[in-house]
Amino acid sequence: MNNNQNNNNQNSNKNMSVKKVLTSRKFKYGTSALVFTVVFVAAIILVNVLVSFVDSKTGGLYVDLTTKQLYSVSNATRDALKNVDKPVEIIFSQPADKCAEDDMLNSVKMLAESYEKEFNNVTVIFKDRKSDPAYFNQFKKSSADMTDTNSIIIHCPSNGRSVIYDKEQMYKRNQYGELFAFNGEYKITSAILSTARTSESMLRAGMITGHNELSLDSVKHTLEDYGYEVSDVNLMTISQEELGTYDLLLVCDPVSDFVGMSNTDSSDNNAANESAKLLNYVVNDLGNVMFFLDPIVMNNCKELPELYSLISDGFGVEVDNLQYIKDPSTILSDYAFYGSYAINDTASAGYAMHKPVSESSAGLPPVFYYSCALNIPKENDDGFNITPVMTVSDGGVQVTTKDGEKSAANTPIMTLSKYTKIENNKEVSGNVIVCGSTGFLLNLETSSSANGDLFKQMLVTMGNDKIIVDIDYKVLDETKIDVPMETVKNMAIRLAVIVPTVIIIIGVAVFIKRKYFNGK
């Protein structure tokens, strides 16, 4: 009996001790702290999982605080792409984490992810060019379509069209080779428009052949980027009617002469007259022609009297290809130099063409190689208005075989001949650009010159209304973090109000719990 009573007493004492421990303030507070810690850690884990999930679904959680909104989509892009509904892929040639390690690629990646968030039809894809080279073969349509790990491809699966950029093409460099501007938004938006365009909205560009012309993949590639279907055109065989269906014709450094009035067999009534076809194409069909020529010293060709007669008598520009022009004051190498924008007449069509480029703060002037000297006679007639676009500077010289060098200050090296008439109460025009240097074309894709930008404006002048002209590149020294005052105020209010409010709520909750629920 006594033993049972002792056991009961011992058990009772143990229960009282346990109860005492469980009801002690130390245990309560320790338990509360433990529970709070567990809940807090669990909340952090939950938030981390949620953020990771949202990040993976939205393409990244970040705020673009740069002055120029380097990684953001502008209203100009929204307007340009608002009617584009075909699926478009922006494909990187490295995994996402590798792109993020490269500063240049990472900027493009962040911008591309903004497109993905902004437009439902845009998808960003990361592929590994090294481990899956076969995947990239589908984008190689010509020798100009090369890909490597720095390539960014904009692809429309429904029609198979694609545009390939190297990361360098998303930027501009200065004369010292330093990065100074980001051109990613313009490049991506233009490529989406180009690849998603229907066949009916494509423009036609013809590369004139039959005279051993220079063939440049970069020219074809650039035209395709701007929405042209490019094909070869033989003036000897094409009909005038078929020629009139082309929006643009290009003549690139022919070595042999054209067939014209002076070298046509008059006894053959069906003999082709290439010069007449080109003149009729501009005047009657209101077509557009670009001539890119070189002095004899550059291409070792003979004189081309019929071609130069067409350009002079038909389009109002005299070409001297026997000597060559260079500009020692802007010399880049033995033969390359920067051209100067013609700005004597700000009301001229030539000035209007280069104005968006020449008045931009970003970029260097276009690069030319040894150039033919061009001359615009004072008497511009036959309906053509001829104005210079590019010249050499005051320091330009002409190199002759007899006299060596002589001054050729401000000599034109690119001109615009505009034929204008009124049809249906509307002014319409045909346009002819004469450029004295094919070296201009060799630098179309060079990031450290304005050749590509001026070529774009040339196409706009010649009627390409599909080219976006209001997306400018963003100068990198202006893309430092620079939060607007309104944003600063909003962030300050949030920090000053939200954080203290959370702390006060937690403090009040702990105070009430201790005072009314823990006992004394």
Side-chain angles (χ1 to χ4, degrees):
M1 184 73 173
N2 290 332
N3 289 334
N4 291 334
Q5 188 175 359
N6 290 334
N7 290 333
N8 291 333
N9 291 335
Q10 290 176 359
N11 291 333
S12 178
N13 291 334
K14 290 179 179 179
N15 291 335
M16 291 178 63
S17 298
V18 171
K19 184 177 180 180
K20 185 176 181 180
V21 171
L22 293 176
T23 57
S24 67
R25 293 173 62 85
K26 184 177 181 180
F27 180 82
K28 289 180 179 181
Y29 292 151
T31 303
S32 298
L34 178 61
V35 171
F36 179 80
T37 302
V38 171
V39 171
F40 182 73
V41 172
I44 290 177
I45 294 174
L46 180 61
V47 170
N48 185 58
V49 171
L50 180 62
V51 169
S52 298
F53 174 78
V54 173
D55 179 77
S56 66
K57 294 298 182 182
T58 62
L61 292 175
Y62 52 83
V63 177
D64 189 353
L65 299 179
T66 56
T67 307
K68 291 288 187 177
Q69 295 293 282
L70 192 68
Y71 314 122
S72 302
V73 174
S74 68
N75 288 331
T77 287
R78 294 186 184 97
D79 291 340
L81 301 183
K82 62 184 178 182
N83 295 322
V84 177
D85 55 6
K86 288 185 178 181
V88 176
E89 300 168 341
I90 304 176
I91 304 167
F92 289 82
S93 304
Q94 295 186 48
D97 57 335
K98 293 295 182 182
C99 291
E101 294 173 1
D102 184 310
D103 289 341
M104 294 176 69
L105 273 178
N106 190 49
S107 293
V108 183
K109 168 183 172 292
M110 294 175 71
L111 177 61
E113 289 167 341
S114 293
Y115 277 79
E116 186 176 41
K117 288 187 287 187
E118 186 79 28
F119 304 103
N120 294 330
N121 61 315
V122 175
T123 304
V124 178
I125 296 174
F126 296 94
K127 288 283 187 177
D128 192 338
R129 179 69 176 77
K130 292 181 179 179
S131 63
D132 190 10
Y135 172 82
F136 293 86
N137 290 338
Q138 62 181 304
F139 308 116
K140 185 174 175 58
K141 303 293 191 290
S142 71
S143 59
D145 298 328
M146 304 297 292
T147 62
D148 58 25
T149 54
N150 291 321
S151 297
I152 302 101
I153 303 164
I154 290 79
H155 177 238
C156 180
S158 62
N159 57 34
R161 284 199 291 268
S162 58
V163 174
I164 302 172
Y165 292 123
D166 184 83
K167 68 178 182 181
E168 280 284 343
Q169 292 175 274
M170 297 287 181
Y171 293 84
K172 291 285 183 181
R173 291 185 180 272
N174 60 21
Q175 66 266 43
Y176 308 110
E178 300 166 339
L179 290 175
F180 82 99
F182 183 53
N183 201 26
E185 185 184 4
Y186 179 82
K187 291 289 189 179
I188 293 177
T189 300
S190 295
I192 291 176
L193 277 179
S194 176
T195 57
R197 187 172 286 149
T198 62
S199 298
E200 293 75 20
S201 64
M202 297 288 286
L203 301 172
R204 298 187 73 191
M207 307 294 295
I208 302 299
T209 62
H211 317 89
N212 296 315
E213 283 86 356
L214 184 67
S215 178
L216 293 173
D217 283 334
S218 60
V219 177
K220 180 175 181 291
H221 189 252
T222 301
L223 290 171
E224 289 174 339
D225 287 355
Y226 291 130
Y228 290 89
E229 289 182 327
V230 185
S231 60
D232 291 340
V233 171
N234 189 325
L235 291 172
M236 293 289 290
T237 58
I238 193 171
S239 68
Q240 190 75 54
E241 182 180 8
E242 173 65 15
L243 194 65
T245 65
Y246 282 82
D247 301 282
L248 173 66
L249 299 175
L250 292 93
V251 180
C252 297
D253 196 21
V255 175
S256 58
D257 205 3
F258 279 47
V259 174
M261 291 299 297
S262 62
N263 53 13
T264 299
D265 185 354
S266 58
S267 63
D268 184 359
N269 294 328
N270 295 320
N273 187 326
E274 296 175 293
S275 297
K277 282 183 178 178
L278 280 180
L279 184 58
N280 287 332
Y281 168 73
V282 175
V283 174
N284 297 327
D285 300 322
L286 299 175
N288 304 288
V289 183
M290 293 182 182
F291 292 96
F292 295 93
L293 310 170
D294 266 337
I296 285 179
V297 69
M298 291 296 289
N299 61 10
N300 298 315
C301 72
K302 299 179 180 179
E303 292 187 59
L304 309 174
E306 184 59 42
L307 176 61
Y308 295 143
S309 176
L310 166 66
I311 296 174
S312 175
D313 298 337
F315 306 131
V317 179
E318 297 175 347
V319 180
D320 179 4
N321 78 324
L322 297 179
Q323 289 82 35
Y324 65 88
I325 296 288
K326 66 178 182 177
D327 196 337
S329 61
T330 63
I331 201 76
L332 297 172
S333 66
D334 290 340
Y335 52 86
F337 60 90
Y338 286 123
S340 299
Y341 298 107
I343 56 175
N344 290 335
D345 184 1
T346 57
S348 71
Y351 175 79
M353 189 173 76
H354 71 63
K355 178 181 177 181
V357 182
S358 59
E359 293 191 354
S360 172
S361 61
L364 293 168
V367 171
F368 291 78
Y369 293 172
Y370 288 158
S371 177
C372 300
L374 306 180
N375 179 50
I376 303 173
K378 291 183 179 180
E379 59 279 2
N380 293 344
D381 51 15
D382 296 329
F384 280 93
N385 177 40
I386 303 101
T387 55
V389 179
M390 300 295 302
T391 68
V392 290
S393 71
D394 292 339
V397 298
Q398 185 171 23
V399 180
T400 67
T401 54
K402 294 181 180 180
D403 305 324
E405 294 184 0
K406 64 178 184 179
S407 176
N410 304 309
T411 298
I413 53 177
M414 180 186 286
T415 60
L416 171 63
S417 301
K418 199 172 195 67
Y419 181 82
T420 305
K421 62 182 179 180
I422 304 296
E423 285 187 354
N424 300 322
N425 297 319
K426 182 180 180 181
E427 184 178 281
V428 291
S429 65
N431 303 276
V432 177
I433 289 176
V434 181
C435 179
S437 168
T438 57
F440 177 87
L441 295 177
L442 298 176
N443 290 277
L444 283 186
E445 297 179 323
T446 302
S447 64
S448 58
S449 71
N451 294 55
D453 301 303
L454 182 57
F455 190 74
K456 176 184 71 177
Q457 291 303 135
M458 292 157 65
L459 297 177
V460 171
T461 298
M462 293 187 161
N464 190 336
D465 59 356
K466 304 295 190 299
I467 294 179
I468 306 169
V469 295
D470 51 357
I471 299 178
D472 202 359
Y473 21 64
K474 301 169 183 179
V475 180
L476 292 175
D477 61 9
E478 295 178 1
T479 57
K480 58 185 180 299
I481 293 179
D482 186 10
V483 187
M485 283 305 299
E486 183 177 351
T487 304
V488 172
K489 290 179 181 178
N490 290 335
M491 293 176 68
I493 291 172
R494 290 170 185 170
L495 290 174
V497 175
I498 296 176
V499 174
T501 300
V502 171
I503 294 174
I504 290 171
I505 291 173
I506 294 174
V508 170
V510 171
F511 173 78
I512 293 174
K513 183 178 183 300
R514 287 183 175 180
K515 185 170 183 179
Y516 297 102
F517 297 100
N518 289 334
K520 293 183 179 180

